[in-house]
Amino acid sequence: MNNDIDKVPLLDAGNGLRSLKDHAYGQIKEAILSGSLAAGSLTSVPMLSGALGVSRSPVREALADLVTEGLVSFERNRGVRILTLDQDDVEEIFDLRILLEVPATHRMVQFMGKRKIELVKKLQEEFAAMEDSIDDEPTFMAHDRMFHKIILDHSGNHRLSAFVLELRDQVRSLGLSTVGQSRALTDVLVEHRLILTAVEAGDADAAKAEMESHIRHTRDLLVDQTIRLKVEVEVAAVRGSIVDRQ
C-alpha cells in the first residue's frame, strides 16, 4: 500500500459531514486516478483501512463500488487488485464513448432551446480555464472532464453522464495520456475549440462531428501508445532473461 493516501478529515466544506464509506471511496479512487495506487498493484482491505483511519466495513463498501466501475477487483486469498487495461480494453472504452457521447452531443445542441446562453457560457468558462492552465496538465484535464460533463449532463440522460465519466476514469487510472506522448495540450485545446464553436453556432450536426473526431483521434493515439508500451515491456523482459542466463 502506498502511503500517499493520507488520513484526512471527514468534513467536506461543500457537503458537511461525509459518510465513512464516501470518505473511503473518494480517497481510494483519487489514489488510483493519481497513480498513488499503481495499475496492476495489490493492496488489501486492512492496509487501506489503516491508511485511511477508518474501519474495514466502509472500505469494503467503497471497494464494491470501485469494482462496479471497473477500477479494482477482489482476488481470493490475495487482496485487492488495481486493474490494468490492454489494447482491447482501450478500444472498447472509446468505442463506447463514440456510441454514447457523440449522439449525446447532438441531442444537447439540438434541444438547448432557451438554455443555449447558459450552456454556452458554462462551456466557454471551462474552455477559458483550459487555456489558463495550458502549462498545468492535471488542472487542464480536470476542466477538460468538466467540459465533457456539461455536455453529457444536458443530453437528456443523467445515467449516461455518470457512465461515460466512469469510462474516462478507467483510462485515467492507468496514467494513460496522449499529452507529452503524441500530442500537446494545445492540440487538445484546438479540438475542444472546434466543438465549442459548433455549439455556439447551434449546429448540432457539426458539434456531433467534431466530438466524434476528437474521441476517435484520442482513441487511435492511446491504442498506438498502449501497443508501444506492451512491446517495450516485452523487449525489456527478453533482455532481462538474456542477462540472467549470462
Side-chain angles (χ1 to χ4, degrees):
M1 172 65 189
N2 191 301
N3 290 327
D4 286 345
I5 299 185
D6 299 317
K7 296 179 182 179
V8 299
L10 301 187
L11 290 175
D12 182 273
N15 300 313
L17 186 63
R18 300 172 62 196
S19 73
L20 292 175
K21 181 252 189 176
D22 289 344
H23 164 64
Y25 169 86
Q27 292 296 296
I28 297 170
K29 184 170 183 176
E30 181 54 35
I32 294 172
L33 298 184
S34 68
S36 295
L37 284 173
S41 66
L42 271 172
T43 185
S44 69
V45 171
M47 293 175 72
L48 291 169
S49 175
L52 295 172
V54 299
S55 65
R56 297 182 183 185
S57 292
V59 169
R60 290 193 188 95
E61 293 176 10
L63 288 170
D65 286 348
L66 293 170
V67 167
T68 302
E69 294 180 20
L71 295 180
V72 304
S73 67
F74 287 102
E75 295 189 3
R76 188 177 182 84
N77 299 323
R78 298 196 70 186
V80 180
R81 177 77 65 181
I82 312 303
L83 295 182
T84 61
L85 302 179
D86 59 20
Q87 175 190 346
D88 291 338
D89 291 320
V90 173
E91 290 180 336
E92 287 177 3
I93 286 172
F94 278 89
D95 285 349
L96 282 171
R97 284 191 61 190
I98 290 169
L99 286 171
L100 299 173
E101 196 167 356
V102 171
T105 302
H106 187 278
R107 287 197 303 274
M108 192 277 284
V109 177
Q110 186 177 23
F111 299 114
M112 286 190 293
K114 295 179 179 179
R115 301 195 64 189
K116 178 181 178 180
I117 294 176
E118 174 193 350
L119 295 178
V120 167
K121 182 180 179 182
K122 288 182 178 180
L123 291 173
Q124 289 172 335
E125 289 173 349
E126 292 304 324
F127 182 82
M130 290 167 70
E131 285 185 305
D132 291 341
S133 57
I134 199 68
D135 296 319
D136 180 355
E137 182 181 350
T139 301
F140 180 99
M141 296 311 297
H143 290 293
D144 177 316
R145 189 179 192 275
M146 184 57 66
F147 184 98
H148 285 263
K149 185 177 186 298
I150 290 168
I151 292 174
L152 291 165
D153 283 348
H154 296 88
S155 67
N157 187 326
H158 297 297
R159 291 183 177 85
L160 176 67
S161 180
F163 181 67
V164 172
L165 291 176
E166 285 177 10
L167 294 175
R168 288 174 60 98
D169 287 344
Q170 288 181 38
V171 174
R172 185 186 162 199
S173 71
L174 283 185
L176 286 177
S177 173
T178 59
V179 178
Q181 299 288 332
S182 47
R183 63 178 172 181
L185 287 178
T186 51
D187 299 322
V188 180
L189 193 66
V190 168
E191 294 179 8
H192 285 78
R193 173 75 264 181
L194 294 172
I195 297 170
L196 178 57
T197 298
V199 175
E200 290 170 335
D203 190 333
D205 291 336
K208 174 184 176 182
E210 294 299 347
M211 180 63 79
E212 181 170 1
S213 176
H214 168 56
I215 297 174
R216 285 186 182 279
H217 187 211
T218 303
R219 179 199 63 185
D220 294 344
L221 293 175
L222 284 178
V223 166
D224 288 343
Q225 184 178 321
T226 304
I227 293 172
R228 290 198 306 272
L229 179 61
K230 181 180 180 181
V231 171
E232 289 172 2
V233 170
E234 291 175 347
V235 169
V238 171
R239 288 175 177 170
S241 177
I242 293 174
V243 171
D244 290 340
R245 291 198 299 268
Q246 290 178 345

